[in-house]
Amino acid sequence: MSDQFRPPEQGTLHTLRDIALIVPRVFAFMWQVAPGFLVVACALMVATAVIPAAIVYMTKVIIDGVVAASGGTMVWGIVFMPLAVLFGLWVSQAAFDSASGFVQEILSERIWYTAKQRIIDKAGALDIAFFETPKFYDQLHHATQQFYRISNISWSTISLMQQAFSLIAMVSLLSILHPLAIALLILTALPRILVEGHFARKRYDLNAELIRNDRMIDYMARLLTDRDSAKEVRIFTLRDLFLSRFQRFRDIYLTAIRKLVFDIFKVNVGLNLVSLLGVGAIWGYAVYQAVLGHITIGDLALVFQAAQQSRNLLAGLISSGGSVYQNALFTTRFFEFLDLDTKSVDGALAERGSPAHPIPTPIQSGVEFRNVSFKYPGSDAWILRDVSFRIPAGQRVAIAGENGAGKTTLVKLLSRLYDPAEGEILLDGQDLRDYDLAELRRHVAVVFQDFFRYDLSAADNVGLGQADAMDERSRVVAAAEKGGAHDIIDKLPDGYDTILGKTFDEGIDLSGGEWQHLAISRAFMSDAQMLVLDEPTAALDAFREHRLYEQVGALAGDKTVVFISHRFSTVRMADLIVVIEDGRVIEIGGHDELIARDGHYAAMFNTQARRYR
């Protein structure tokens, strides 16, 4: 299976069918966003559609009135009344255009933010397995880069209908000259219809072909502008390297788009010439009829204006149709992302029968891993194989092992970021998959080694551990005290209200160890019955880590505590130690028992102990 997302190849009829479904869906989306503005936009479209034809016709009336008056008795009302009507039409057109611009801007903003919210909602509802696959990021990039086209397709569709009404009104004026004038005008414009559809599809295919290239452009730009990469970019003098790669990927895109645009330019020159020849033929015939006296001077002016404006309207109509076609092609990507099957990726969490079992409060026997095997989505390498052990309720359990042994994967399975590929994980004898996922995660608080640093207030950094209680300052302070962050926060300029990080002007940055205390405090904010610490103290020295874990053990109360640490001075504090190697459990027991067994754990412990002698 390819790791790159490519929209499926579709035939013309299939594509047109999909577009016929997308356009109504777009308008249904707009109706959900702002029904009032949509109604006003459509009303303005109808009101302005016939004004151009009315202006052309009133011009004819005025000219014929002037010509008639110049040869006889002047009747001022015959001349100035149409002039007043013409002026009123101009004023109305200007007012409607201004109102339409206002409505379009407000509605577009609402559509943009609602579409972005829908993408955020969808991404947040997907399992972590999606975020392990490059193909998903291609799909996400497609959706986020193209959702602005929802507004485009709506205005293109409205413009298409408006131009259709205007064109019908305008070409009907040409019947004064001859019905074949209308046929000639349409005939010279027909090739543009095929060309618009062809190049709309070419743009769509080019965008799909270059999606990974486009993502690399964004990635190189982030490497050169993000704070996280700024230090290494300067230390290793990587600026020129990343900039050259940015330029290389950019040039690939620019070369491809330049070729496409030039092809469009060449074809448009020929099409414009053909349509102008059609208008020229109509003008020539109109002059001939005027010389013969078959039409009036006003009719001649009407034909001149109507023919030229009909050409422009017809070109605009075809262009709007092409725009609808192109935007609909791209908009399908937005809706495809919203329609993404939550089970369409390997490793997505399985759904069990309902209703879900309530989480036992308190947990009685604990958690049991029973013959658990696991490999990450898209990989054939087993991370865990036939793992079995118990985490007794209320005890302190350490998971020990070398890097890459599978310790963090156990934590991910315990917090149900993933489900086992084989075997099962039981909580009080019931499979984790039988519990409500949101409730399960409320009872398992995890602090990962790569915990997130929120550039928000210190209070928020702690309070996010229990979002529905984060406004309770006393509870936030209590959690900070348990996690060792209170003294750190107390020294900040604005205490708990101090903004952290450097994303915002007033932000104060912290050291790695200080951020870790905040992350651990965040876990204490939770009402979880199980506290899992996946090496969140890596930035602390051995003494401070040991003291912190002693504090965690003392303050955890009757919580079950699972922790991972490379420091065996900390690991030995556990009631039970689970040793894993190459994805398998090889030893289980207390510290003294494992030392006496003189196995793998004893070898690791003694090796580390010698470093401090």
Side-chain angles (χ1 to χ4, degrees), residues 3-58:
D3 68 346
Q4 181 168 347
F5 168 68
R6 291 185 180 276
E9 292 295 329
Q10 299 176 345
T12 302
L13 290 178
H14 187 93
T15 302
L16 292 175
R17 185 198 69 189
D18 286 347
I19 290 173
L21 297 174
I22 283 294
V23 172
R25 188 170 180 181
V26 167
F27 276 88
F29 178 83
M30 293 174 63
W31 181 261
Q32 295 170 1
V33 173
F37 279 96
L38 180 59
V39 169
V40 172
C42 292
L44 288 170
M45 176 271 294
V46 174
T48 56
V50 296
I51 288 180
I55 289 175
V56 170
Y57 184 77
M58 292 312 299

Side-chain angles (χ1 to χ4, degrees), residues 247-298:
Q247 292 168 340
R248 175 159 57 88
F249 290 118
R250 177 207 61 188
D251 290 344
I252 291 172
Y253 173 79
L254 290 178
T255 299
I257 199 70
R258 182 168 56 242
K259 181 180 183 304
L260 178 61
V261 171
F262 186 64
D263 289 344
I264 295 173
F265 165 75
K266 290 186 295 184
V267 173
N268 278 338
V269 169
L271 292 177
N272 287 335
L273 180 60
V274 170
S275 64
L276 285 173
L277 288 174
V279 171
I282 293 173
W283 283 1
Y285 184 71
V287 170
Y288 174 72
Q289 291 295 307
V291 170
L292 294 179
H294 295 163
I295 61 174
T296 66
I297 299 300

Side-chain angles (χ1 to χ4, degrees), residues 170-483:
M170 193 67 72
V171 298
S172 64
L173 298 177
L174 288 177
S175 59
I176 293 175
L177 180 64
H178 197 286
L180 287 179
I182 301 173
L184 179 62
L185 199 65
I186 294 173
L187 185 64
T188 56
L190 280 178
R192 187 179 292 274
I193 297 175
L194 300 177
V195 169
E196 286 286 345
H198 171 73
F199 282 116
R201 183 73 199 198
K202 291 281 285 184
R203 284 184 182 274
Y204 177 77
D205 291 339
L206 180 63
N207 182 270
E209 179 183 342
L210 295 178
I211 187 64
R212 191 63 61 87
N213 184 85
D214 194 30
R215 283 183 55 207
M216 286 301 299
I217 292 173
D218 288 348
Y219 182 62
M220 290 299 142
R222 288 203 309 275
L223 288 177
L224 290 165
T225 56
D226 276 4
R227 181 191 177 200
D228 291 341
S229 56
K231 293 190 292 293
E232 288 207 5
V233 167
R234 283 152 180 79
I235 290 295
F236 296 111
T237 61
L238 300 175
R239 173 186 174 276
D240 291 343
L241 173 64
F242 291 151
L243 185 59
S244 67
R245 291 187 179 182
F246 172 87
Q247 292 168 340
R248 175 159 57 88
F249 290 118
R250 177 207 61 188
D251 290 344
I252 291 172
Y253 173 79
L254 290 178
T255 299
I257 199 70
R258 182 168 56 242
K259 181 180 183 304
L260 178 61
V261 171
F262 186 64
D263 289 344
I264 295 173
F265 165 75
K266 290 186 295 184
V267 173
N268 278 338
V269 169
L271 292 177
N272 287 335
L273 180 60
V274 170
S275 64
L276 285 173
L277 288 174
V279 171
I282 293 173
W283 283 1
Y285 184 71
V287 170
Y288 174 72
Q289 291 295 307
V291 170
L292 294 179
H294 295 163
I295 61 174
T296 66
I297 299 300
D299 291 334
L300 180 63
L302 180 147
V303 169
F304 268 50
Q305 292 184 75
Q308 179 60 26
Q309 290 198 34
S310 293
R311 171 189 172 274
N312 293 338
L313 285 168
L314 194 54
L317 181 69
I318 295 170
S319 178
S320 293
S323 181
V324 170
Y325 177 71
Q326 177 175 297
N327 284 312
L329 286 173
F330 283 100
T331 303
T332 57
R333 297 177 179 175
F334 170 76
F335 288 112
E336 282 170 359
F337 183 80
L338 295 189
D339 296 339
L340 195 61
D341 183 0
T342 57
K343 306 304 173 189
S344 61
V345 68
D346 292 339
L349 298 181
E351 293 181 356
R352 301 291 283 256
S354 57
H357 288 268
I359 297 292
T361 306
I363 296 173
Q364 298 295 323
S365 62
V367 176
E368 180 183 359
F369 282 73
R370 183 180 293 174
N371 306 120
V372 169
S373 296
F374 178 78
K375 55 185 176 182
Y376 283 100
S379 172
D380 294 327
W382 289 97
I383 306 300
L384 300 173
R385 288 299 285 166
D386 198 28
V387 169
S388 297
F389 68 94
R390 290 186 65 252
I391 301 174
Q395 290 197 16
R396 279 63 173 147
V397 177
I399 301 175
E402 298 173 357
N403 288 335
K407 302 186 299 297
T408 295
T409 300
L410 286 174
V411 173
K412 291 179 179 178
L413 293 173
L414 181 60
S415 56
R416 221 187 150 211
L417 291 177
Y418 295 96
D419 285 332
E422 297 174 3
E424 56 187 349
I425 303 173
L426 308 175
L427 174 62
D428 278 3
Q430 194 73 42
D431 195 301
L432 288 186
R433 288 168 285 200
D434 293 331
Y435 294 108
D436 178 75
L437 182 60
E439 187 181 1
L440 173 67
R441 288 178 177 166
R442 281 196 296 270
H443 285 273
V444 181
V446 183
V447 184
F448 288 102
Q449 183 177 358
D450 56 348
F451 59 85
F452 197 77
R453 305 178 183 194
Y454 296 95
D455 287 357
L456 303 171
S457 71
D460 284 344
N461 267 273
V462 176
L464 287 170
Q466 187 79 31
D468 57 0
M470 62 188 300
D471 292 331
E472 299 177 24
R473 182 57 57 89
S474 60
R475 184 167 172 179
V476 171
V477 172
E481 289 174 341
K482 291 180 180 179

Side-chain angles (χ1 to χ4, degrees), residues 1 24 29 39 50 56 84 88 102 139 179 276 278 291 303 311 328 368 431 474 497-498 506 508 516 548 563 587 604:
M1 179 184 294
F29 178 83
V39 169
V50 296
V56 170
F102 167 76
Q139 290 178 283
L276 285 173
V291 170
V303 169
R311 171 189 172 274
E368 180 183 359
D431 195 301
S474 60
D497 295 319
T498 304
E506 68 271 26
I508 301 295
Q516 286 181 325
L548 177 62
F563 61 89
E587 293 178 312
M604 290 191 296

